[in-house]
Amino acid sequence: MSAVNSGAEPGPPTGPGPGAPSGSGRTLRVLRALARLVAAAALAWDAYLHAHLADRYDAVSGSIGQGDLFRIEAGLAALAALLVLAWRRVPGDLFAWLVATGGLALLLIYRFVDVGTLGPFPDMYEPHWYRDKRLAVVAQAIAVLATIFLLLTPVRRTRRRGAHAAGRRRGRARGTG
């Protein structure tokens, strides 16, 4: 007999059995969990920064004050952080992405473009950088990237069935049931 076909029975399978998570599946779950933590931390930091800075901007007002807008951003970012961590569903991830992307876009627009007063919103043009503004940009950019990862790598959810149903499926796969 040749070394290629020695006539020996094949050994047991060496990979994970049916239903066991593959290595890449586990890796993806770990990466998604890390992305959730990073997104939530970045959103929480953004919420803190906006809440901390809100009183400094109360003097800038139209029908709605800039301080109030900062408080609204802080509340939305805090809610988004909680949704990303606790709810862990696509709508929550999408909400978090919208909050982070919207906040980042507005911050950059009002940094580089003098939009002026826009309806009830005050003129928020601020052409200089300072430490807290840079930190907010970094936090929002990190949250945007982490939530994009979450939105592009959705996890397929399967319903758990009882052991009896699982046994019947295994039996059919072997041709015994």
Side-chain angles (χ1 to χ4, degrees), residues 63 86 167:
S63 297

Side-chain angles (χ1 to χ4, degrees), residues 13-23 26 170:
T14 56
S22 67
R26 248 177 279 144
R170 279 193 295 264

Side-chain angles (χ1 to χ4, degrees), residues 33-87:
L34 286 173
R36 285 197 181 285
L37 290 173
V38 167
L43 287 161
W45 183 248
D46 180 49
Y48 165 77
L49 286 171
H50 278 87
H52 173 71
L53 294 172
D55 62 339
R56 297 180 192 171
Y57 288 92
D58 281 333
V60 181
S61 64
S63 297
I64 299 172
Q66 188 171 353
D68 293 334
L69 293 172
F70 272 43
R71 289 179 189 91
I72 291 168
E73 168 69 18
L76 291 173
L79 176 61
L82 289 173
L83 288 174
V84 164
L85 280 180
W87 194 27

Side-chain angles (χ1 to χ4, degrees), residues 84-174:
V84 164
L85 280 180
W87 194 27
R88 300 184 321 199
R89 299 286 188 272
V90 171
D93 298 343
L94 183 59
F95 177 76
W97 177 81
L98 286 169
V99 169
T101 303
L104 180 60
L106 288 172
L107 192 152
L108 293 174
I109 287 169
Y110 281 109
R111 162 58 180 91
F112 294 107
V113 180
D114 188 358
V115 176
T117 302
L118 194 59
F121 301 108
D123 182 1
M124 297 188 292
Y125 178 62
E126 193 173 42
H128 57 276
W129 289 103
Y130 54 91
R131 182 181 151 270
D132 287 341
K133 185 186 275 192
R134 285 190 300 269
L135 291 173
V137 166
V138 170
Q140 289 170 332
I142 289 170
V144 166
L145 293 174
T147 54
I148 285 173
F149 176 79
L150 291 171
L151 290 168
L152 292 179
T153 59
V155 172
R156 207 178 78 209
R157 298 194 185 278
T158 57
R159 292 184 180 212
R160 292 181 181 222
R161 297 182 183 185
H164 181 69
R168 282 195 323 232
R169 281 193 311 267
R170 279 193 295 264
R172 276 191 222 128
R174 283 187 237 130

